[in-house]
Amino acid sequence: MSFSRGLKEKAAKVWEDGYNHPFVQELGKGTLDKEKFKFYLLQDYLYLLQYAKVFAIAVVKSDTEELMKNFSAIQHYIISGEMDLHRKYMEGFGVTKNEMLAVKPSLYNRTYTANMLSYGQTGGLAEILAAVFPCAWTYADYGKRLKEQYAAELEGNFYRTWIENYASDGFSDSFEWFYDTLDELVANMSDAGREEIAEIFIRSVEFEYLFWDMAYKRQMSYE
């Protein structure tokens, strides 16, 4: 197994804890409190703005046309694809654009995005990919598993569009190049260097778990 594909196993416990979190499971069942999902949508909207910036930094740090194209494509998908899905859901809640702009990021949201941006500013492409990879990979994995596990409940599930978006082959295909690219970036690193890249990846999976937990509790801070 390649280095990149082995990262999921290194983060196995928190990865599975994330999938089994009540927020994720109730999405699949269609029983998640809509106010919790609304809280999540607004916080994730703010998150995605910062997430897109990390890919913009990666474009600047890229030294090949192919990497520039790939990082730019992801940034475009975030802004034009994922955020459109968020806007449509928020319209269903009656949330206006001004209300979206007025929302403040939670402590957990700020910490997660600050972590990614710090690697963007101070790290190389391997550090950046390790920091952003868990967001795409966990969503694709969870979406596919929810669609399979709760296939009988999807009809009439309010969250069906969300699940099917992340379960789609199109979403998985959009970041398929992450694997080989990260493997190439760490190929000449020492064992210690590769271990640090793995630790960055694991931390971001932990932040993903905390994001679900924050949304389920509608928690802006530690209190």
Side-chain angles (χ1 to χ4, degrees), residues 41 84-96 100:
L41 284 175
D84 278 351
L85 178 63
H86 280 58
R87 292 187 191 99
K88 288 175 184 176
Y89 266 115
M90 286 188 281
E91 285 173 7
F93 284 109
V95 178
T96 67
M100 282 191 292

Side-chain angles (χ1 to χ4, degrees), residues 130-151:
V132 300
F133 205 164
C135 180
W137 196 356
T138 57
Y139 271 56
D141 181 62
Y142 294 178
K144 290 179 187 299
R145 290 164 69 181
L146 288 175
K147 185 177 180 180
E148 180 177 352
Q149 182 177 350
Y150 296 108

Side-chain angles (χ1 to χ4, degrees), residues 37-214:
F37 189 66
K38 179 180 176 180
F39 184 96
Y40 158 79
L41 284 175
L42 290 168
Q43 287 298 313
D44 202 45
Y45 177 80
L46 297 176
Y47 167 88
L48 288 172
L49 291 173
Q50 303 306 311
Y51 188 57
K53 290 179 183 179
V54 182
F55 286 94
I57 296 170
V59 172
V60 174
K61 293 195 172 188
S62 296
D63 55 8
T64 69
E65 181 181 350
E66 182 179 11
L67 282 175
M68 291 176 70
K69 180 184 71 175
N70 286 340
F71 282 119
S72 296
I74 292 286
Q75 185 189 35
H76 177 75
Y77 176 81
I78 294 165
I79 295 171
S80 300
E82 284 194 89
M83 293 184 79
D84 278 351
L85 178 63
H86 280 58
R87 292 187 191 99
K88 288 175 184 176
Y89 266 115
M90 286 188 281
E91 285 173 7
F93 284 109
V95 178
T96 67
K97 184 175 181 180
N98 286 337
E99 287 176 309
M100 282 191 292
L101 296 175
V103 172
K104 302 296 182 185
S106 74
L107 171 66
Y108 307 95
N109 197 345
R110 293 197 311 270
T111 305
Y112 187 5
T113 55
N115 181 71
M116 288 191 299
L117 286 165
S118 70
Y119 286 117
Q121 295 289 352
T122 65
L125 291 181
E127 286 80 6
I128 293 172
L129 266 181
V132 300
F133 205 164
C135 180
W137 196 356
T138 57
Y139 271 56
D141 181 62
Y142 294 178
K144 290 179 187 299
R145 290 164 69 181
L146 288 175
K147 185 177 180 180
E148 180 177 352
Q149 182 177 350
Y150 296 108
E153 287 98 326
L154 276 184
E155 187 68 34
N157 185 335
F158 179 76
Y159 307 111
R160 179 176 183 170
T161 302
W162 188 96
I163 293 168
E164 292 186 336
N165 178 69
Y166 293 112
S168 71
D169 290 338
F171 180 70
S172 295
D173 290 346
S174 71
F175 66 90
E176 180 67 25
W177 60 273
F178 279 18
Y179 299 100
D180 289 343
T181 300
L182 185 56
D183 286 336
E184 291 170 9
L185 290 168
V186 304
N188 295 320
M189 284 187 178
S190 64
D191 289 345
R194 284 192 291 271
E195 188 59 34
E196 177 56 28
I197 296 300
E199 285 299 319
I200 293 170
F201 179 90
I202 293 166
R203 285 185 216 119
S204 282
V205 180
E206 291 171 343
F207 276 122
E208 285 294 322
Y209 175 89
L210 291 172
F211 207 96
W212 300 123
D213 198 56
M214 164 209 76

